[in-house]
Amino acid sequence: MYGDASVSRAFFHCAACDVRYQFPGLTPEEEARFYAAEFEGFMASRSGESGGWLKTEQHLVANEPTRMRRMKYLAPYLKQSVDILEVGCSSGFMLYPLAAAGHRCTGIEPSGVFSEFVRGRGIPVYQSVAELQRDVPDARFDLILHFFVLEHIADPGAFLMAQLAMLKPGGRIVFEIPNAADPLYSVYDIPAFERFYWSVAHPWYFSEPSLQFLLTRLGESSEVLRDQRYDLSNHMIWARDGRPGGMGRFAPELGADVEESYKQSLIRSGKCDTLVGIIKKDGGT
């Protein structure tokens, strides 16, 4: 199996709902150890030094373009001061500008390195949803966020239901996940990307149909949006060199209009690299 040196696991494809899933998954003990002690090193090995996964301050700088891209999904729900929870807040790069704008922010982060950093900057952080519910049983939020977290969760339905229980009526859950129809896999079929993409850290890989299937089962209003993170330059490096890290490499020669047109074409086709789910808890405006 890609991503598992022991070849003790494999990914399977459900023809009924189109989800890809890992079997067997990590045990609870393996999972806890991985996220508490190994996750930053794992991410650094995938993103390189520029990703900032081993240096918290660098992580803030590296993710500023990501924060700005995500704000277009959040802006409609930030027109007044709201209570926000981010599950998997890492260095807190999404939360600091929101807190500065007057929103009441809370984070959940199992990584000891990142959680201490965020706590030191004045934002309350808990190790898990269960810990938050234990310590603040009446905590309720207008907006719950998580980005590239759901694919790491053993039981994604229960994970989302637990968040709905903490959501105020009319509140939203906004989350982002990788799209199993990523063009490097579904269009270009680059072997090196296949070995990179299928990871032991991900029990699930959702496509647009399988994510819609999951959200429908929650019984609340929801929608799925498409987006494209990586540009033509990144894809050219993957095709030429078989490795990540080409973001913006040829942008000066290609021009911003070509890069943006390429992204929009992938979004229209559905062969884009990311999906955004939005769930509204009924009973509010």
Side-chain angles (χ1 to χ4, degrees):
M1 181 203 89
Y2 297 124
D4 181 23
S6 70
V7 198
S8 60
R9 298 175 171 88
F11 284 100
F12 296 85
H13 180 199
C14 174
C17 72
D18 201 42
V19 78
R20 283 77 168 167
Y21 63 98
Q22 180 188 153
F23 182 84
L26 296 175
T27 67
E29 294 76 18
E30 288 172 331
E31 184 178 308
R33 183 170 60 252
F34 177 78
Y35 288 105
E38 302 174 24
F39 184 66
E40 293 89 351
F42 168 79
M43 290 301 297
S45 71
R46 294 172 67 84
S47 63
E49 290 185 6
S50 63
W53 282 96
L54 298 178
K55 297 179 180 178
T56 49
E57 292 287 355
Q58 186 179 339
H59 193 262
L60 297 179
V61 175
N63 281 283
E64 180 61 12
T66 296
R67 186 189 72 82
M68 294 297 295
R69 177 180 61 82
R70 291 171 180 166
M71 285 305 296
K72 64 178 178 281
Y73 302 113
L74 306 184
Y77 315 120
L78 298 173
K79 295 180 179 178
Q80 59 185 8
S81 180
V82 297
D83 292 294
I84 299 173
L85 172 68
E86 184 180 5
V87 182
C89 64
S90 63
S91 64
F93 69 88
M94 290 297 303
L95 295 179
Y96 304 133
L98 294 172
H103 303 292
R104 297 170 295 277
C105 297
T106 302
I108 290 177
E109 178 51 56
S111 162
V113 174
F114 281 138
S115 61
E116 287 302 316
F117 179 75
V118 176
R119 197 173 291 115
R121 295 186 62 148
I123 292 178
V125 181
Y126 298 84
Q127 188 175 26
S128 65
V129 172
E131 182 180 83
L132 171 62
Q133 291 173 323
R134 183 198 68 203
D135 292 355
V136 193
D138 59 347
R140 296 295 180 270
F141 300 93
D142 301 286
L143 191 58
I144 297 179
L145 316 174
H146 47 92
F147 303 102
F148 299 104
V149 171
L150 191 68
E151 68 274 16
H152 292 263
I153 302 301
D155 189 339
F159 178 72
L160 293 172
M161 289 298 293
Q163 291 165 35
L164 281 168
M166 295 189 297
L167 203 61
K168 298 177 186 179
R172 266 83 172 180
I173 301 171
V174 180
F175 65 92
E176 186 175 14
I177 58 171
N179 183 7
D182 189 302
L184 291 171
Y185 162 64
S186 67
V187 178
Y188 305 129
D189 192 21
I190 298 173
F193 181 75
E194 285 244 19
R195 292 189 291 271
F196 174 88
Y197 188 65
W198 303 101
S199 167
V200 70
H202 298 167
W204 304 95
Y205 284 85
F206 292 96
S207 63
E208 196 169 349
S210 58
L211 182 58
Q212 289 174 331
F213 178 84
L214 172 65
L215 298 186
T216 298
R217 291 169 64 88
L218 299 176
E220 303 285 355
S221 302
S222 63
E223 61 179 319
V224 176
L225 308 176
R226 301 168 180 169
D227 205 354
Q228 177 65 30
R229 292 176 289 161
Y230 293 104
D231 59 10
L232 178 57
S233 294
N234 173 270
H235 289 182
M236 292 170 70
I237 291 296
W238 267 112
R240 189 189 73 179
D241 300 339
R243 61 175 177 82
M247 193 73 168
R249 175 78 173 271
F250 307 113
E253 292 76 22
L254 294 171
D257 54 340
V258 171
E259 291 280 27
E260 184 61 24
S261 178
Y262 178 71
K263 288 184 177 183
Q264 292 303 319
S265 294
L266 292 174
I267 290 169
R268 286 193 298 272
S269 72
K271 303 293 187 180
C272 49
D273 61 18
T274 185
L275 299 171
V276 174
I278 301 175
I279 308 168
K280 178 186 176 184
K281 185 171 184 176
D282 295 332
T285 57

